[in-house]
Amino acid sequence: LLICFLDNLVTAADKSLPSPELIDACQEIQKARLDADGNPDIRYIMPVVSGIKRVELLKELPDFVKGSDEILKTTLHRMSERLGRYSMIFRDEPDPSENTLRGMSSCEQMVYLHQLDFHAIGIPQKRYLDVIRVCLEDDEVFNDRVVQAALDYISGKFLEGESLPLAYMRTIILTCSKHESLHSWICHVLLPRLVEGQVYSDKRQWEGWMRCAKMLENTGDHGISSLEAIDKLPEEQKKMYRAKYPKK
């Protein structure tokens, strides 16, 4: 009943963010109400997550991931419900020295879920992968353009020297199967960019890259093929690719 009451307080409000006082009250209730495992019950802050600073939501994300799929999906929706026009954007803090951004756009959610250190937060690898799959299956929220924006952002960070998240190539493969609209971009932008970043230096990601390239090598669509990306491979890696997937 208390959760419903808190939810109604926010729903009944106008389009402005939940007040700082309401956020503080929900956080205090969360600390006082423990779940069956003795942890603060995350359901009590779900109604106000759109008004919580993004940096704080990032700290809470592991707890949402540990919850049920329904709790996770509801929370992600509430985080982004006032950020519709930013759904395909990973926002930069206006002032890097201050954390002022509130809520979490759909693009940001997809990026942060990929970057979760599941070992450190104590969740099985399977749950980490399942959470991303659950999001990808939600076409209304994580549509092709949102997924593209997230994959693009992560690949840009890869070129800057960051490692690719474990699930990254798996997500691209799932996206190939789900969103034909992104085939051209994956073939002509994303796969070549990953070659530029030497994706073949990571065995797991390299295996995923080769599998994805094979899926798109002969799509049947005029002008859409991964051959251009394959041709950008260094000679040694190109031979490895052809040894695994001979040209027909």
Side-chain angles (χ1 to χ4, degrees), residues 5-198:
F5 174 71
L6 294 172
D7 198 44
N8 287 332
L9 281 179
V10 178
T11 304
D14 58 19
K15 293 184 178 180
S16 61
L17 294 173
S19 69
E21 292 77 16
L22 181 56
I23 292 173
D24 289 344
C26 289
Q27 289 175 328
E28 287 302 314
I29 294 171
Q30 180 203 20
K31 293 175 185 176
R33 303 260 179 154
L34 304 182
D35 62 20
D37 296 321
N39 300 313
D41 195 328
I42 56 175
R43 294 177 300 166
Y44 290 101
I45 63 168
M46 286 169 56
V48 296
V49 288
S50 64
I52 297 177
K53 288 184 178 181
R54 187 178 71 180
V55 67
E56 296 299 325
L57 290 176
L58 192 53
K59 296 176 184 176
E60 299 279 1
L61 196 57
D63 289 330
F64 294 128
V65 167
K66 291 174 184 176
S68 68
D69 287 352
E70 197 57 42
I71 285 179
L72 175 69
K73 289 168 67 176
T74 300
T75 307
L76 294 179
H77 170 72
R78 298 303 292 263
M79 285 183 190
S80 63
E81 65 184 351
R82 288 173 170 81
L83 296 171
R85 61 181 176 148
Y86 298 105
S87 63
M88 296 179 286
I89 298 174
F90 190 100
R91 300 166 298 162
D92 292 321
E93 290 282 359
D95 182 351
S97 65
E98 287 187 58
N99 296 309
T100 59
L101 294 177
R102 295 182 183 275
M104 190 180 288
S105 73
S106 300
C107 173
E108 292 161 0
Q109 292 169 9
M110 185 62 70
V111 170
Y112 286 134
L113 287 172
H114 275 80
Q115 293 176 339
L116 277 178
D117 186 343
F118 56 91
H119 286 305
I121 63 177
I123 65 170
Q125 178 177 313
K126 184 180 184 302
R127 178 57 181 165
Y128 161 72
L129 297 174
D130 281 348
V131 161
I132 294 172
R133 176 187 53 76
V134 166
C135 291
L136 291 172
E137 289 174 352
D138 189 351
D139 287 315
E140 289 190 15
V141 177
F142 297 97
N143 58 42
D144 57 348
R145 297 306 170 194
V146 169
V147 174
Q148 178 184 7
L151 293 175
D152 186 71
Y153 179 86
I154 294 172
S155 69
K157 289 298 181 182
F158 177 54
L159 290 186
E160 293 175 9
E162 292 187 11
S163 299
L164 290 174
L166 176 71
Y168 188 70
M169 285 308 311
R170 177 179 181 269
T171 296
I172 297 176
I173 290 168
L174 292 174
T175 300
C176 285
S177 300
K178 190 173 183 64
H179 297 298
E180 187 176 338
S181 59
L182 296 183
H183 283 185
S184 179
W185 176 75
I186 292 171
C187 285
H188 303 301
V189 177
L190 188 55
L191 291 181
R193 181 184 294 167
L194 295 175
V195 171
E196 181 184 348
Q198 300 182 3

Side-chain angles (χ1 to χ4, degrees), residues 169-180 183 186-187 191 207-221 224-227 230 241-242 245:
M169 285 308 311
R170 177 179 181 269
T171 296
I172 297 176
I173 290 168
L174 292 174
T175 300
C176 285
S177 300
K178 190 173 183 64
H179 297 298
E180 187 176 338
H183 283 185
I186 292 171
C187 285
L191 291 181
E207 287 289 337
W209 190 99
M210 288 193 289
R211 182 179 169 192
C212 181
K214 174 59 180 174
M215 290 175 68
L216 299 178
E217 188 173 348
N218 299 293
T219 63
D221 292 336
I224 299 179
S225 171
S226 60
L227 278 171
I230 296 166
Y241 176 82
R242 283 300 171 208
Y245 301 113

